[in-house]
Amino acid sequence: QVQLVESGGGLVQAGGSLRLSCAASGRTFSSYAMGWFRQAPGKEREFVAAISGRFGSTVYADSVKGRFTISRDSAKNTLYLQMNSLKPEDTAVYFCATAVRPPITATMNYNYWGQGTQVTVSS
């Protein structure tokens, strides 16, 4: 059974940092693209960042480019999201997911999802 479990969320002041982790089990995900998405109250789930499986290429939403960094540790089957210079508008529930087809910026192209971790940035 495939399972993705996010951790590392919390409350932080604007300008602060957090590192999210996504532990994957039930399958080796090193060959799969994986991504981070977020959903704020009353808004649709949106793409944040993704990393390809084969070459580790990364792509980011414009709103987080230069502030967030996605990475993966294939030996640990774990995906990370380092978030720096956090802003109140980054407040959301953050989800990790595995992609089944490109483009890996589209929510519809992901099949397995974690339960999410709350990130709250105070001003």
Side-chain angles (χ1 to χ4, degrees):
Q1 181 179 353
V2 175
Q3 190 174 22
L4 302 175
V5 179
E6 301 95 336
S7 61
L11 173 64
V12 64
Q13 287 188 333
S17 299
L18 285 173
R19 188 176 83 153
L20 305 184
S21 299
C22 171
S25 61
R27 177 186 292 180
T28 299
F29 288 96
S30 58
S31 60
Y32 291 83
M34 296 188 72
W36 287 98
F37 292 78
R38 66 187 181 187
Q39 187 166 18
K43 295 187 177 181
E44 293 188 353
R45 191 169 299 187
E46 65 174 3
F47 169 77
V48 174
I51 185 167
S52 69
R54 188 174 180 183
F55 299 110
S57 302
T58 59
V59 59
Y60 298 92
D62 288 342
S63 59
V64 306
K65 201 172 294 183
R67 300 188 298 122
F68 290 12
T69 302
I70 187 172
S71 62
R72 69 196 302 168
D73 185 332
S74 296
K76 296 181 178 180
N77 226 17
T78 301
L79 180 72
Y80 301 100
L81 185 68
Q82 178 67 43
M83 305 186 295
N84 299 328
S85 302
L86 283 162
K87 305 175 181 180
E89 50 264 43
D90 295 319
T91 295
V93 177
Y94 284 70
F95 301 88
C96 66
T98 60
V100 291
R101 57 183 170 271
I104 58 176
T105 56
T107 308
M108 69 176 68
N109 294 330
Y110 287 76
N111 56 349
Y112 296 110
W113 292 82
Q115 83 291 345
T117 185
Q118 177 71 46
V119 171
T120 303
V121 184
S122 63
S123 57

